[in-house]
């Protein structure tokens, strides 16, 4: 067993960290306050090869492994969670198209994602009545000659207003339940697709979260991703990889919480000495660092398993569950260490605290991760 990163991984971490410190960290607070989509960040990240990282180069991707993706997500998460979630979902869609798409779909849709021609890509599963119970979606797609006609509504869609292409889960055969779900690739601007108002969120306010309304939206039949009826499995399989991305982002936010807490506690003097000299503060920092190390190892192991081509569903859910819950604990402690200042916008931990909250909700709540983990241990009871 070897816990050392390979040379290529170390170089990637250096490159992304330098970029993130220079470009992402300075902009993060303003993106949050103004609720501004990080378009310029994403363009630069596409130039660095961060938007379709695990897709082979022949389709415009970077041909990197999943460990690289996790490491890059950690660095971007440490700098700006709004940018990180956009990156994670875009990579998930690029990979979904690569894994399940036809040759034509891969050649048409992955290069513009990878190059930054598309600002982002979206994964449209959730509906007002189908969140955790994703198999209960109602949006329909009815075949009409060479087209599918989509009607329905999606909510909480990350990057929906900016995505060049979206993976949209639809019901093509109501009589078959989850086996009647399919996935269509829908381009931005397709007539019949309306982008709803952006959600006003607690955190990750620079990321774009919208509803999508489909009213007789006609999509070419050739945009079916995989086979009719395979859509639920395609979305869940793709989400397994997405959960590694969100777990990695949580590690990044946790690292930022730890770094800010170390800095602040060494500089803040109370009772005649830096508060880092008090055991109460030391224990919080020790717990944060321990959680971070465990989370990073879990996330990297899940990514490594994925690279080995073996089942990683349980490992990805465990990593996402542990990392996002631990990052919430870390953000709580970071604010606690900063005292009243931590509750103000003067210090970034206020934003970390809000940004991290959603990570135990999206891409499967912590409760859903426990269901996935338990089913992988006990089988379906
Ligand atoms: N990979 C491939 N196939 C899978 C799978 C996986 N990880 N998990 C399950 N399946 C298959 C099953 O084998 C089963 O196949 P068969 O019927 O042929 O046997 C089929 O899918 C249905 O599985 P279940 O009966 O277990 O499905 P379920 O209805 O009980 O749901 C669930 C399982 C795990 C609870 C699932 O609904 C789930 O993950 N829910 C959470 C949804 C979610 O994560 N939403 C996130 C939205 S996207 C987002 O947040 C992105 C963003 O923008 C930030």
């Amino acid at each position: 067993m070897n816990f050392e990163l390979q040379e290529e991984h170390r170089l990637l971490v250096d490159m992304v960290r330098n970029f993130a410190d220079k470009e992402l960290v300075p902009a993060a607070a303003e993106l949050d306050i103004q609720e501004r989509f990080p378009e310029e960040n994403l363009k630069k990240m596409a130039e660095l090869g961060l938007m379709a990282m695990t897709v082979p180069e022949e389709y415009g991707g970077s041909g990197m492994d999943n460990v690289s993706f996790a490491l890059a997500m950690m660095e971007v998460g440490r700098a700006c969670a709004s940018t990180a979630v956009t990156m994670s979902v875009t990579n998930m869609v690029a990979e979904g198209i690569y894994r399940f798409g036809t040759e034509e779909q891969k050649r048409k849709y992955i290069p513009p994602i990878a190059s930054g021609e598309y600002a982002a890509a979206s994964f449209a599963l959730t509906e007002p009545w189908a969140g955790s119970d994703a198999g209960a979606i109602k949006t329909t797609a009815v075949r009409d000659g060479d087209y599918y006609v989509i009607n329905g509504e999606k909510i909480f869609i990350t990057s929906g207003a900016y995505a060049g292409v979206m993976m949209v889960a639809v019901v093509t055969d109501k009589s078959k339940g989850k086996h009647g779900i399919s996935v269509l690739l829908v381009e931005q601007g397709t007539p019949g697709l309306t982008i709803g108002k952006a959600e006003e969120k607690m955190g990750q306010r620079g990321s774009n979260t919208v509803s999508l309304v489909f009213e007789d939206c006609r999509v070419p039949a050739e945009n079916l991703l995989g086979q009719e009826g395979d859509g639920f499995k395609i979305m869940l399989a793709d989400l397994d990889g997405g959960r590694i991305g969100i777990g990695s982002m949580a590690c990044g936010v946790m690292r930022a919480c730890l770094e800010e807490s170390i800095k602040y506690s060494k500089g803040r003097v109370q009772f005649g000495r830096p508060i880092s000299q008090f055991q109460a503060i030391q224990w919080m920092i020790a717990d944060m660092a321990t959680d971070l190390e465990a989370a990073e190892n879990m996330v990297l192991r899940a990514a490594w398993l994925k690279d080995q081509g073996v089942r990683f569903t349980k490992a990805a859910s465990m990593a996402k569950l542990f990392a996002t819950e631990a990052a919430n604990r870390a953000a709580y402690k970071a604010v606690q260490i900063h005292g009243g200042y931590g509750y103000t916008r003067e210090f970034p931990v206020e934003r970390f605290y809000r940004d991290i909250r959603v990570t135990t909700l999206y891409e499967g709540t912590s409760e859903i991760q426990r269901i996935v983990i338990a089913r992988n241990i006990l089988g379906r009871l």
Side-chain angles (χ1 to χ4, degrees):
M1 188 180 270
N2 183 358
F3 284 98
E4 288 286 317
L5 288 181
Q6 290 164 10
E7 176 72 3
E8 72 199 63
H9 294 138
R10 277 200 299 272
L11 290 173
L12 177 78
V13 169
D14 284 350
M15 186 270 282
V16 183
R17 182 168 289 206
N18 284 339
F19 164 77
D21 277 341
K22 207 163 111 227
E23 305 278 351
L24 306 185
V25 172
E30 190 224 309
L31 290 175
D32 170 64
I33 290 168
Q34 296 184 358
E35 297 186 280
R36 193 163 60 74
F37 188 70
E39 256 181 305
E40 61 287 351
N41 290 348
L42 299 167
K43 266 243 160 330
K44 290 174 195 159
M45 286 160 60
E47 283 164 22
L48 296 177
L50 300 179
M51 299 313 275
M53 290 185 70
T54 57
V55 173
E57 290 172 24
E58 62 172 309
Y59 298 107
S62 299
M64 293 188 207
D65 59 12
N66 288 282
V67 168
S68 300
F69 169 64
L71 292 167
M73 277 298 309
M74 287 176 189
E75 294 306 326
V76 176
R78 171 179 163 272
C80 176
S82 294
T83 304
V85 68
T86 314
M87 169 183 166
S88 186
V89 174
T90 300
N91 271 276
M92 176 168 70
V93 174
E95 191 173 286
I97 297 173
Y98 170 66
R99 276 182 72 187
F100 301 104
T102 61
E103 192 60 25
E104 291 71 32
Q105 288 168 346
K106 292 185 217 186
R107 298 219 176 269
K108 183 169 182 191
Y109 291 116
I110 301 176
I113 295 175
S115 70
E117 182 187 331
Y118 291 165
S122 289
F123 186 89
L125 176 62
T126 304
E127 299 183 359
W129 34 80
S132 289
D133 185 7
I137 61 165
K138 291 185 185 164
T139 294
T140 55
V142 176
R143 185 76 188 249
D144 178 20
D146 290 340
Y147 288 83
Y148 283 97
V149 183
I150 312 178
N151 279 287
E153 184 185 357
K154 298 286 175 184
I155 56 165
F156 300 150
I157 304 307
T158 302
S159 311
Y162 295 88
V165 66
M166 313 176 188
M167 279 172 66
V168 182
V170 291
V171 176
T172 44
D173 187 342
K174 278 185 199 166
S175 68
K176 292 190 177 155
K178 287 169 232 168
H179 294 274
I181 293 175
S182 306
V183 180
L184 290 170
L185 297 175
V186 181
E187 292 179 25
Q188 190 69 254
T190 305
L193 163 62
T194 310
I195 308 295
K197 184 175 164 289
E199 298 291 344
E200 292 173 3
K201 306 189 299 275
M202 174 195 286
Q204 304 200 353
R205 286 155 51 89
S207 79
N208 172 255
T209 310
V210 293
S211 61
L212 310 174
V213 179
F214 295 92
E215 288 167 306
D216 292 330
C217 177
R218 295 173 77 81
V219 174
E222 68 208 27
N223 282 23
L224 178 71
L225 188 70
Q227 302 298 312
E228 260 197 28
D230 284 350
F232 193 57
K233 288 185 192 178
I234 289 174
M235 295 303 260
L236 290 187
D238 207 23
L239 267 172
D240 285 344
R243 288 168 182 166
I244 294 176
I246 302 303
S248 307
M249 179 213 319
C251 291
V253 175
M254 220 184 316
R255 181 164 294 285
C257 287
L258 179 62
E259 288 173 354
E260 290 299 324
S261 298
I262 293 168
K263 190 166 76 187
Y264 183 83
S265 64
K266 285 186 167 176
R268 171 74 172 165
V269 174
Q270 290 288 278
F271 303 102
R273 45 188 165 141
I275 61 170
S276 59
Q277 291 183 14
F278 293 108
Q279 197 174 48
I281 304 295
Q282 291 171 2
W283 283 19
M284 282 196 263
I285 288 188
D287 284 346
M288 286 161 86
T290 306
D291 265 352
L292 175 59
E293 191 150 329
E296 283 181 343
N297 279 304
M298 289 179 80
V299 165
L300 289 173
R301 180 171 174 277
W304 178 82
L305 284 175
K306 189 172 176 218
D307 284 330
Q308 305 314 302
V310 296
R311 275 212 71 173
F312 65 97
T313 300
K314 183 180 73 166
S317 280
M318 285 178 160
K320 198 249 179 198
L321 170 65
F322 185 83
T324 59
E325 293 281 343
N328 272 277
R329 291 195 290 274
Y332 179 93
K333 290 187 177 102
V335 171
Q336 195 67 20
I337 289 169
H338 283 68
Y341 290 114
Y343 198 63
T344 71
R345 285 189 183 165
E346 204 178 319
F347 288 87
V349 294
E350 181 268 344
R351 173 166 45 85
F352 302 157
Y353 187 82
R354 289 184 289 103
D355 277 349
I356 203 61
R357 187 63 190 86
V358 71
T359 61
T360 65
L361 307 175
Y362 62 29
E363 298 214 8
T365 60
S366 291
E367 292 66 35
I368 288 297
Q369 307 311 327
R370 290 184 175 98
I371 289 176
V372 173
I373 295 162
R375 280 186 186 168
N376 274 275
I377 295 169
L378 298 166
R380 275 206 78 143
L381 300 172

